[in-house]
């Protein structure tokens, strides 16, 4: 059977990225499960976490000092009568009912500010003699107090569903008393590497064979993107066997193939997908590395039970291309399948250490090192042998982004960086 012709669609980087983002926005995640708060890091929240009480639950002093009426300090030094000491966690019945004019209470950080007081003076501006304190610095009303509910009101949403959980959101969930959280199940991502020359890492490679490294970089990236990698056997450059493995891969929620998407005689991935009546959204992006990247969708055999059609990416086989194109294109789709709210790709900026010369026409993502100290971020390209050079990429900690219209970027220029 001859393959239906594949229409070649090469998009700019931005158009390709937006295409993926648009499809990602239509996706819904898999089922849900409950996890212990301590195991929730990196998981995607499938419920919203609500404040079970005001935060803070009382007007909280942010300093050790004296709870005062600000107007009592209009003439300095002021002398006030100390009527109580309030510790953090002080029981309500021990709190003074009112700080009356001319009175104060000594108060600790995290303790409730009693009625009547509207500010806290830091202990550094006070000296106590018996039951009197002399205060040498004025305050404005509200100073050093966080009012009841100022951080969050009871009943309001603290963490939106779709949030990827990290230390701050987990602390917030803890502060609202959640020891268990409802999260999305991780999408399963099939990793199918292709190529007659590719062998398993446990096999002894022949003189012209190459060990499979792409499945391992992708497994890491899939996990970082919130998914569960499923490694398939290596597919040879032979259409029937390739098709069987593609069909196996389509049982997962997303299929990532590597290799076989260039223009060579044995690059069969697009041909086989076309025979399977796949829909292609793009078959290339004007980037380097990773130009032959393919994104599409295909109906699955078990259409009734699972999400169908399913999305696939054909990532170029060169190891750096595989890593870069995953990050630029596959990641947003995976994150959507994982239930994460969409977010745009953001670059940071750094000062280029030494001049770069490139041929214009492609947007480049070149392995680089981000160094420098404090606010002085500097970036320098890692010397490399091109998009097959894993060793150079392993020495890099980011990608320097070079726009397609530039030939020379001078040392000292601020350039965008895609962190890794
Ligand atoms: P391809 O995209 O199939 O033309 O492959 C481009 C280059 O990447 C070739 O040099 C391949 O040997 C290499 N390559 C393809 N797949 C892998 C893999 N899984 N691990 C390491 N290198 C690979
Ligand atoms: Mg190949």
């Amino acid at each position: 059977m001859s393959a239906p012709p594949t229409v070649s669609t090469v998009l700019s980087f931005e158009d390709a990225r937006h295409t993926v983002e648009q499809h990602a926005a239509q996706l819904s995640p898999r089922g849900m499960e409950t996890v212990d708060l301590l195991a929730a890091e990196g998981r995607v929240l499938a419920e919203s976490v609500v404040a079970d009480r005001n935060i803070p639950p009382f007007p909280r002093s942010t300093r050790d000092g004296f709870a005062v009426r600000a107007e009592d300090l209009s003439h300095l030094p002021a002398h006030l009568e100390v009527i109580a000491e309030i510790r953090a966690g002080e029981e309500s019945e021990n709190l003074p009912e009112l700080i009356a004019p001319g009175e104060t209470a000594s108060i600790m950080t995290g303790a409730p500010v009693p009625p009547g007081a509207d500010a806290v003076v830091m202990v550094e501006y006070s000296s106590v003699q018996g039951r009197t304190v002399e205060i040498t610095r004025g305050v404005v009303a509200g100073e050093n107090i966080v009012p009841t509910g100022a951080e969050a009101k009871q009943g309001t949403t603290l963490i939106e569903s779709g949030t990827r959980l990290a230390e701050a959101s987990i602390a917030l969930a803890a502060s609202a008393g959640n020891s268990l959280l409802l999260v999305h199940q991780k999408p399963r991502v099939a990793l199918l590497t292709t190529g007659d020359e590719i062998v398993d890492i446990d096999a002894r490679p022949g003189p012209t064979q190459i060990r499979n490294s792409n499945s391992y970089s992708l497994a890491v990236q899939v996990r970082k993107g919130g998914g569960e990698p499923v490694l398939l056997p290596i597919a040879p450059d032979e259409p029937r066997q390739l098709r069987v493995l593609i069909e196996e891969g389509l049982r997962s929620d997303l299929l990532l193939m590597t290799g076989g998407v260039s223009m060579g005689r044995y690059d069969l991935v697009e041909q086989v997908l076309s025979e399977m009546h796949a829909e292609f959204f793009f078959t290339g992006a004007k980037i380097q590395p990773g130009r032959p990247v393919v994104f599409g969708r295909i109906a699955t055999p078990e259409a009734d039970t699972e999400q169908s059609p399913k999305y696939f990416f054909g990532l170029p086989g060169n190891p750096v291309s595989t890593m870069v194109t995953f990050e630029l294109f596959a990641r947003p789709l995976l994150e959507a399948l994982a239930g994460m709210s969409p977010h745009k790709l953001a670059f940071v900026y750094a000062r280029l250490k030494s001049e770069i010369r490139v041929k214009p026409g492609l947007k480049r993502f070149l392995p680089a090192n981000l160094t420098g100290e404090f606010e002085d971020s500097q970036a320098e390209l890692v010397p490399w042998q091109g998009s097959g050079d894993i060793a150079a990429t392993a020495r890099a900690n980011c990608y320097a982004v070079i726009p397609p219209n530039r030939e020379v970027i001078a040392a000292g220029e601020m350039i965008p960086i895609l962190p890794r």
Side-chain angles (χ1 to χ4, degrees):
M1 181 177 124
S2 74
T6 307
V7 183
S8 159
T9 317
V10 180
L11 302 181
S12 69
F13 163 68
E14 290 76 11
D15 286 348
R17 170 82 191 190
H18 285 151
T19 300
V20 176
E21 286 175 354
Q22 279 157 16
H23 285 276
Q26 314 296 320
L27 282 175
S28 36
R30 308 179 67 208
M32 297 176 245
E33 60 186 324
T34 299
V35 292
D36 193 276
L37 189 61
L38 276 176
E41 191 260 318
R43 302 304 300 270
V44 181
L45 198 60
E47 58 182 343
S48 49
V49 169
V50 169
D52 67 329
R53 56 183 193 150
N54 287 318
I55 310 180
F58 49 81
R60 179 178 69 209
S61 174
T62 62
R63 302 288 184 194
D64 295 322
F66 288 87
V68 298
R69 306 169 78 97
E71 62 182 22
D72 278 355
L73 306 186
S74 45
H75 300 290
L76 295 173
H79 295 90
L80 303 173
E81 186 192 351
V82 183
I83 62 161
E85 180 189 91
I86 309 170
R87 293 173 303 162
E90 192 72 65
E91 285 176 41
S92 314
E93 60 262 34
N94 297 339
L95 294 178
E97 265 165 40
L98 185 73
I99 302 294
E103 293 180 345
T104 184
S106 105
I107 191 165
M108 313 301 150
T109 300
V113 176
D118 60 9
V120 171
V121 187
M122 288 165 67
V123 71
E124 287 85 338
Y125 306 116
S126 68
S127 58
V128 176
Q129 286 123 15
R131 278 176 53 87
T132 301
V133 61
E134 181 183 83
I135 291 177
T136 55
R137 160 97 65 118
V139 279
V140 294
E143 202 168 320
N144 299 325
I145 297 175
V146 181
T148 304
E151 292 166 11
K153 295 254 184 303
Q154 181 176 8
T156 57
T157 296
L158 293 177
I159 319 172
E160 306 271 356
S161 176
T163 300
R164 183 104 193 251
L165 294 160
E167 62 271 27
S169 45
I170 286 176
L172 193 53
S175 75
N178 297 272
S179 52
L180 298 172
L181 289 176
L182 193 64
V183 298
H184 289 292
Q185 280 171 0
K186 294 180 184 179
R188 285 166 300 133
V189 182
L191 305 181
L192 174 55
T193 201
T194 72
D196 285 337
E197 78 283 25
I198 309 299
V199 295
D200 272 324
I201 56 173
D202 297 326
R204 180 193 295 269
T208 57
Q209 291 182 318
I210 299 292
R211 291 194 184 96
N212 171 20
S213 62
N214 287 344
S215 295
Y216 297 89
S217 54
L218 283 175
V220 172
Q221 290 177 290
V222 164
R223 289 211 177 94
K224 281 191 187 168
E228 197 60 67
V230 179
L231 268 66
L232 298 182
I234 296 165
D237 294 320
E238 192 281 312
R240 269 184 317 123
Q241 295 179 65
L242 184 56
R243 180 169 179 154
V244 168
L245 286 169
I246 288 176
E247 278 168 358
E248 188 177 332
L250 291 173
R251 296 210 194 104
S252 290
D253 300 299
L254 174 64
L255 169 60
L256 302 181
M257 292 160 280
T258 75
V261 290
S262 312
M263 299 299 284
R265 260 183 84 177
Y266 298 97
D267 290 323
L268 302 172
V269 166
E270 277 167 79
Q271 180 200 314
V272 170
L273 288 164
S274 297
E275 284 167 12
M276 296 171 75
H277 305 287
E279 193 184 349
F280 293 92
F281 304 118
F282 56 81
T283 57
K286 291 178 192 153
I287 58 167
Q288 197 253 339
R291 191 173 193 281
V293 60
V294 173
F295 172 49
R297 192 162 63 175
I298 189 168
T300 57
E302 59 249 61
D304 43 345
T305 52
E306 308 221 6
Q307 177 155 9
S308 181
K310 282 190 181 151
Y311 286 96
F312 62 81
F313 286 89
L315 307 178
N318 264 316
V320 189
S321 309
T322 306
M323 288 186 249
V324 168
T325 50
F326 175 92
E327 219 45 50
L328 297 179
F329 304 116
R331 191 174 173 122
L333 205 92
L334 169 58
E335 289 181 346
L337 285 168
M340 239 176 284
S341 314
H343 58 93
K344 294 288 181 182
L345 189 64
F347 299 125
V348 299
Y349 274 77
R351 192 174 306 288
L352 184 64
K353 259 181 157 172
S354 13
E355 182 188 270
I356 299 177
R357 282 173 183 273
V358 290
K359 286 203 203 94
L362 299 174
K363 187 155 192 159
R364 290 171 201 267
F365 297 86
L366 304 178
N369 264 314
L370 194 56
T371 58
E373 198 181 14
F374 305 128
E375 291 87 350
D376 182 26
S377 305
Q378 300 173 2
E380 187 162 41
L381 295 189
V382 173
W384 74 329
Q385 300 301 317
S387 50
D389 194 344
I390 320 176
T393 307
R395 285 193 295 271
N397 63 10
C398 66
Y399 299 103
V401 185
I402 315 292
N405 58 346
R406 298 291 301 275
E407 272 178 89
V408 182
I409 316 239
E413 198 175 313
M414 296 299 281
I415 61 163
I417 296 290
L418 181 66
R420 265 234 316 269

